[in-house]
Amino acid sequence: MSSAETRRQPDGGSGASGGPGLALLGSELSVLFRRVRTWAMLLALAAVPILIAVAVKLSSRDVPPGRGPLFLDRVSQNGLFVAFTALVVCVPLFLPLTVGVVAGDTIAGEANLGTLRYLLIAPAGRVRLLLVKYTGAVAFCCAATLIVAASGALAGVVLFPVGPVTLLSGDTIGVGEAAVRTLLIAAYITLSLLGLSAIGLLVSTFTDVPVGAMAATVVLAVVSQVLDNLPQLDWLHPWLFCHHWLGFADLLRQPMSWNSFGENALLQAGYVAVCGALAYAKFSNKDVLS
């Protein structure tokens, strides 16, 4: 079923009694999470922690401390660390890649399908459409991080012993609190991807070619991380949207430090505000012919 067919309502677009905004949001989420591409990306993300767990399980020797991704050396002793390791592995590439695909497709995808003009004829408006599209991208961010965490936790429980978790500070917490910390880390990473989602939305307003918008968003994520690793650009690092992506280590200490969480939230909010304003400025003056 095409995007236009999915969104078409007999009353001209108003849909459910909740108004055109809620109807459009419900339609957007329905279209997004019924796409084969979306589920293929989510399944690929779910496979990452499973592969990590299986590789460690089949290994004939323990991982030396300090080798490989963070927490990898602890996986064989406690399966709960599979989720932590998988999130660390997915943050630099896999999550930005999938989020870039979804965010880059927001406006450009509709233009490419020829449904963008129809959506604007419906009682939605350009501001509301941008908000709905961004909300859809945020929903995917939540689903993506949660599926990595859940798949990692499940693989860890099945393949390894599970018990109290020793934090980076040396303190030990129970399984229940460790699960809560895992959810907090997933929330932190979701927050970290909000700026990239806004960038993808902005890029998507500049083109009718979704593949180009997707590629540009992913490239910007890679370039930002490269710049963040250059010591010669220390002055620039605090302004890069990826700067706090791995700052969730503070959530694995006792007591927890919320400083990095707050700094990350402020940084992402800045990118959302600036990119959102630029996207509106571009989209409000854009001639929609498709």
Side-chain angles (χ1 to χ4, degrees), residues 47-64:
V48 173
I50 295 174
L51 291 174
I52 292 173
V54 171
V56 174
K57 184 68 175 180
L58 297 179
S59 177
S60 59
R61 57 181 181 177
D62 293 334
V63 179

Side-chain angles (χ1 to χ4, degrees), residues 45-229:
L45 289 171
V48 173
I50 295 174
L51 291 174
I52 292 173
V54 171
V56 174
K57 184 68 175 180
L58 297 179
S59 177
S60 59
R61 57 181 181 177
D62 293 334
V63 179
R67 294 290 298 275
L70 191 63
F71 308 120
L72 184 63
D73 58 308
R74 305 189 187 188
V75 167
S76 59
Q77 286 78 40
N78 194 331
L80 295 177
F81 281 102
V82 175
F84 299 150
T85 304
L87 288 169
V88 171
V89 170
C90 288
V91 167
L93 178 60
F94 298 113
L95 283 170
L97 176 62
T98 56
V99 170
V101 169
V102 172
D105 188 58
T106 47
I107 301 298
E110 297 289 356
N112 182 258
L113 290 173
T115 55
L116 183 57
R117 189 173 184 179
Y118 167 78
L119 288 174
L120 294 178
I121 291 175
R126 301 198 179 202
V127 175
R128 185 174 296 166
L129 181 60
L130 286 174
L131 290 174
V132 165
K133 287 293 184 179
Y134 183 70
T135 302
V138 172
F140 178 82
C141 292
C142 295
T145 53
L146 283 176
I147 201 167
V148 172
S151 177
L154 180 61
V157 169
V158 171
L159 296 178
F160 302 102
V162 172
V165 172
T166 302
L167 301 175
L168 296 178
S169 59
D171 300 277
T172 301
I173 59 175
V175 174
E177 187 175 349
V180 172
R181 302 265 183 145
T182 303
L183 291 176
L184 286 175
I185 292 174
Y188 182 98
I189 294 175
T190 299
L191 175 68
S192 299
L193 296 171
L194 297 187
L196 179 61
S197 298
I199 291 172
L201 177 70
L202 172 60
V203 173
S204 192
T205 62
F206 281 85
T207 179
D208 294 343
V209 183
V211 174
M214 297 173 192
T217 305
V218 174
V219 167
L220 287 173
V222 173
V223 170
S224 179
Q225 292 180 81
V226 171
L227 296 177
D228 195 50
N229 282 281

Side-chain angles (χ1 to χ4, degrees), residues 9-15 118 121-123:
Q9 302 287 344
D11 60 356
S14 61
Y118 167 78
I121 291 175

Side-chain angles (χ1 to χ4, degrees), residues 27 79 112 114 196 236 266:
S27 176
N112 182 258
L196 179 61
L236 179 62
L266 184 61

